[in-house]
Amino acid sequence: MNDKLNRAALRGRIRPIESLGPAPDALPWVDWAVGDERLALRHGFYDTAVGRLLVADTPKGVCFIGFATAGDAEALADLRRRFAGQPTEARATELQKAAAAACEGNFEGVIPLHLKGTAFQREIWLLLLRIPVGALCSYGALSPRAGAARAVGSAVGANPVSVLVPCHRVVRADGGWRGYYWGTPVKERLLLREL
DNA sequence: TTCAACCATATTC
DNA sequence: GAATATGGTTGAA
């Protein structure tokens, strides 16, 4: 179906959960706390090698990275949907720039993240961070309980920082990669850069 | 290719 | 609370 990504090749790169990197000793992000919805939410658009990005951050860290594939207005609508009721302000910050650079692989260092999610979602995101560059995982392999692959898909899809938490390194058990929040072409581009 | 289960949320009574 | 709809799935028919 696609001439660039080969399904059989992708399937061959799928790694079992045991071969992932070690779990980080410290939580690599700041959990969303009660009252954080009153924090200033600043956002800006960035054109990068992986596509046009909408990046948002709070004083605590980057809280959202999304692709503006469907247009800036749509991306903003998505941001407001995730942070309903929170005032947003169009203002570029150094942190946003650093995050955008990191998405291209042009940033050395740690980007502070500020993530909002349920316990289950955070558990999955933590697993995603352990998938090394060039390796893939299937939804089923990531699920803490057998048969929870569907739920993993939902949790991965809810990931607010699309590229920094490598949600694109998860594919179907048969090697298929169709189905991606920001569109299949985006996922293809991200994977082609890494494989 | 199609279909029926499986699991965690969000939404809506 | 309970019912329902909806996913970035899976495995079998």
Side-chain angles (χ1 to χ4, degrees), chain A residues 10 12-15 19-22 50 102-108 127-137 163-170 189-195:
Chain A
L10 286 189
R13 283 182 176 271
I14 295 178
R15 301 277 175 276
S19 71
L20 296 184
V50 293
C103 290
E104 299 180 288
N106 294 329
F107 184 81
E108 302 290 328
L127 285 175
L128 294 183
L129 289 172
R130 295 169 52 191
I131 306 178
V133 176
L136 300 175
C137 253
V163 186
L164 296 189
V165 173
C167 48
H168 53 283
R169 291 184 199 142
V170 188
R189 198 164 25 191
L190 289 171
L191 288 175
L192 285 171
R193 282 175 58 83
E194 296 187 349
L195 303 183

Side-chain angles (χ1 to χ4, degrees), chain A residues 26-49:
Chain A
L27 198 61
W29 65 67
V30 176
D31 276 333
W32 196 269
V34 177
D36 281 355
E37 61 273 7
R38 288 195 301 274
L39 292 175
L41 195 60
R42 301 154 303 193
H43 66 262
F45 286 95
Y46 300 87
D47 287 303
T48 73

Side-chain angles (χ1 to χ4, degrees), chain A residues 18-192:
Chain A
E18 296 81 21
S19 71
L20 296 184
D25 31 329
L27 198 61
W29 65 67
V30 176
D31 276 333
W32 196 269
V34 177
D36 281 355
E37 61 273 7
R38 288 195 301 274
L39 292 175
L41 195 60
R42 301 154 303 193
H43 66 262
F45 286 95
Y46 300 87
D47 287 303
T48 73
V50 293
R52 186 167 170 78
L53 298 175
L54 169 61
V55 183
D57 66 334
T58 72
K60 291 189 178 182
V62 174
C63 59
F64 178 83
I65 299 177
F67 286 87
T69 46
D72 292 6
E74 182 51 43
L76 268 181
D78 188 25
L79 173 67
R80 298 217 172 89
R81 201 159 42 233
R82 288 172 188 257
F83 300 91
Q86 189 154 359
T88 59
E89 172 190 10
R91 187 169 92 215
T93 67
E94 289 304 313
L95 187 52
Q96 290 170 19
K97 273 184 232 170
C103 290
E104 299 180 288
N106 294 329
F107 184 81
E108 302 290 328
V110 178
I111 305 282
L113 299 177
H114 188 194
L115 305 185
K116 174 160 65 173
T118 66
F120 178 78
Q121 288 167 346
R122 289 197 295 257
E123 182 184 345
I124 300 301
W125 299 341
L126 215 45
L127 285 175
L128 294 183
L129 289 172
R130 295 169 52 191
I131 306 178
V133 176
L136 300 175
C137 253
S138 70
Y139 295 94
L142 289 177
S143 65
R145 301 174 49 192
R150 196 84 174 115
V152 172
S154 301
V156 174
N159 163 35
V161 284
S162 49
V163 186
L164 296 189
V165 173
C167 48
H168 53 283
R169 291 184 199 142
V170 188
V171 298
R172 295 176 48 137
D174 62 3
W177 66 94
R178 275 182 281 293
Y180 186 61
Y181 187 80
W182 282 281
T184 302
V186 172
K187 187 165 189 172
E188 285 175 11
R189 198 164 25 191
L190 289 171
L191 288 175
L192 285 171

